[in-house]
């Protein structure tokens, strides 16, 4: 297993101070159990959901503590991609979207990379939401997860699916990070519950134009009680400005909204001039890590 998967210090039941005050961890039923889902992240775990064979992969710390509740972070691939690419950091992805090297607190994280049907997330009849729900049940019955700290991120179709999960499973997710997604392609059943929301999109995206990203952002700005008629900063196409970050004002303390617009096209790893690593993992982790 990779070195980044070593957790810094073992802890017992976590009582953490979150942005909304002191919040006790909500340990899953898998806490205290001898796990069966540990081992290589390249092992496929299989489920049958709505009569269809589905699979997912897990990144579990190599010194996993069965009594410690971890974050659960879903990392969803784009159209034509695979979970294996997300795990390996190929096909334009960073490994697990580049988050693991940044996780340096005592909570730690367990990562999930599921495979979409036909390499996408059409979510017909809500079947992909059901699949993710079943993955959550399976993982949390076996591993020790803090059920207050479930997250999802993804690029393109994976971003659209993360948005769809926020719509349908809003009360079960702590936050999502939607990277260059679209509100139509995976759908939005429900979509009225507040969910902490990070949105990122390129102003020059001609695959899934930024208007879709703004629409998704605006839904959760409204759900989260943010002040109306905000005008987040965005660079102009060709300006050379890598990215502009806007934190919405007036939102519920537990449900912030952050919008990042960058001068670029359809990519999960936009780069700033002079840098060889994208700002995306840092921005995503900064957003997720505020929740304890």
């Amino acid at each position: 297993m990779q070195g980044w998967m070593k957790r810094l210090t073992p802890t017992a039941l976590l009582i953490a101070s979150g942005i909304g005050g002191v919040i006790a961890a909500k340990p899953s039923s898998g806490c205290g159990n001898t796990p069966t889902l540990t081992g290589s992240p390249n092992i496929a775990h299989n489920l049958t959901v709505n009569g269809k064979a589905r699979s997912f992969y897990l990144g579990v710390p190599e010194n996993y503590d069965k009594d410690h509740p971890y974050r659960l972070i879903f990392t969803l691939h784009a159209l034509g991609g695979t979970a294996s690419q997300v795990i390996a950091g190929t096909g334009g992805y960073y490994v697990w979207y580049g988050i693991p090297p940044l996780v340096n607190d005592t909570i730690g994280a367990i990562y999930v990379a599921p495979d979409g049907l036909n390499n996408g997330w059409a979510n017909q009849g809500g079947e992909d939401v059901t699949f993710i729900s079943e993955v959550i049940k399976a993982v949390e019955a076996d591993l020790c997860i803090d059920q207050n700290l479930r997250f999802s991120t993804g690029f393109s179709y994976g971003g659209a699916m993360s948005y769809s999960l926020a719509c349908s499973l809003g009360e079960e997710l702590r936050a999502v990070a939607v990277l260059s997604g679209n509100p139509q392609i995976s759908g939005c059943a429900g979509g009225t519950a507040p969910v902490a929301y990070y949105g990122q999109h390129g102003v020059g995206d001609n695959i899934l134009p930024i208007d879709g990203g703004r629409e998704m952002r605006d839904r959760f700005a409204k759900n989260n009680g943010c002040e109306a008629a905000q005008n987040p900063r965005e660079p102009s196409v060709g300006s050379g400005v890598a990215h502009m970050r806007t934190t919405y004002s007036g939102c519920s303390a537990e449900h912030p909204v952050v919008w990042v617009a960058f001068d670029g096209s359809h990519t999960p790893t936009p780069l700033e001039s002079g840098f060889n690593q994208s700002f995306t993992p840092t921005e995503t982790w900064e957003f997720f890590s505020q929740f304890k």
Side-chain angles (χ1 to χ4, degrees):
M1 300 285 281
Q2 296 96 323
W4 56 260
M5 300 188 86
K6 296 179 180 178
R7 192 164 52 82
L8 294 182
T9 58
T11 64
L13 180 63
L14 175 68
I15 302 295
S17 178
I19 61 172
V22 177
I23 302 174
K26 184 181 178 182
S28 67
S29 62
C31 293
N33 295 346
T34 300
T36 64
L37 295 179
T38 54
S40 169
N42 297 309
I43 296 173
H45 304 284
N46 301 310
L47 293 173
T48 299
V49 181
N50 293 338
K52 297 180 181 179
R54 306 297 302 262
S55 61
F56 65 95
Y57 301 78
L58 290 170
V60 181
E62 66 180 22
N63 62 342
Y64 169 76
D65 180 349
K66 65 184 177 62
D67 298 311
H68 170 81
Y70 293 82
R71 294 178 184 89
L72 186 66
I73 302 178
F74 281 85
T75 55
L76 307 184
H77 64 75
L79 178 63
T82 64
S84 294
Q85 290 176 326
V86 173
I87 296 163
T90 59
Y93 305 94
Y94 292 146
V95 176
W96 303 110
Y97 277 86
I99 298 172
L102 304 175
V103 181
N104 60 358
D105 61 13
T106 57
I107 302 175
I110 289 172
Y111 303 88
V112 186
D115 268 319
L117 293 172
N118 302 312
N119 302 102
W121 301 101
N123 193 31
Q124 294 181 358
E127 63 183 346
D128 289 321
V129 170
T130 301
F131 168 48
I132 297 299
S133 295
E134 291 301 313
V135 172
I136 291 172
K137 290 178 186 177
V139 171
E140 294 185 356
D142 190 78
L143 300 175
C144 192
I145 302 298
D146 184 345
Q147 294 177 312
N148 289 328
L149 295 178
R150 301 182 184 122
F151 304 86
S152 184
T153 188
F155 165 67
S156 194
Y157 225 149
M161 190 62 208
S162 292
Y163 168 76
S164 186
L165 292 174
C167 291
S168 297
L169 303 178
E171 296 181 357
E172 301 179 39
L173 295 180
R174 190 66 194 83
V176 296
V178 175
L179 312 177
S180 302
N182 175 274
Q184 278 80 45
I185 55 180
S186 296
C188 177
T192 58
V195 180
Y197 189 89
Y198 173 90
Q200 177 178 299
H201 220 109
V203 294
D205 194 329
N206 58 5
I207 304 297
L208 296 177
I210 194 171
D211 283 349
R214 296 177 184 132
E215 180 181 333
M216 293 186 291
R217 172 204 68 200
D218 290 348
R219 172 183 288 274
F220 282 97
K222 179 180 179 181
N223 290 357
N224 297 359
C226 307
E227 293 177 4
Q230 298 192 43
N231 187 26
R233 300 183 307 149
E234 296 179 356
S236 57
V237 176
S239 65
V241 177
H243 71 290
M244 291 182 172
R245 185 180 196 271
T246 300
T247 300
Y248 271 56
S249 57
C251 309
S252 158
E254 291 288 342
H255 304 105
V257 172
V258 169
W259 174 249
V260 170
F262 62 90
D263 180 19
S265 57
H266 196 64
T267 174
T269 54
L271 296 175
E272 292 183 295
S273 178
F275 290 83
N276 59 11
Q277 290 290 313
S278 175
F279 54 81
T280 302
T282 301
E283 290 282 3
T284 300
W285 175 240
E286 181 178 340
F287 190 74
F288 284 174
S289 64
Q290 68 186 298
F291 307 107
K292 306 292 187 183

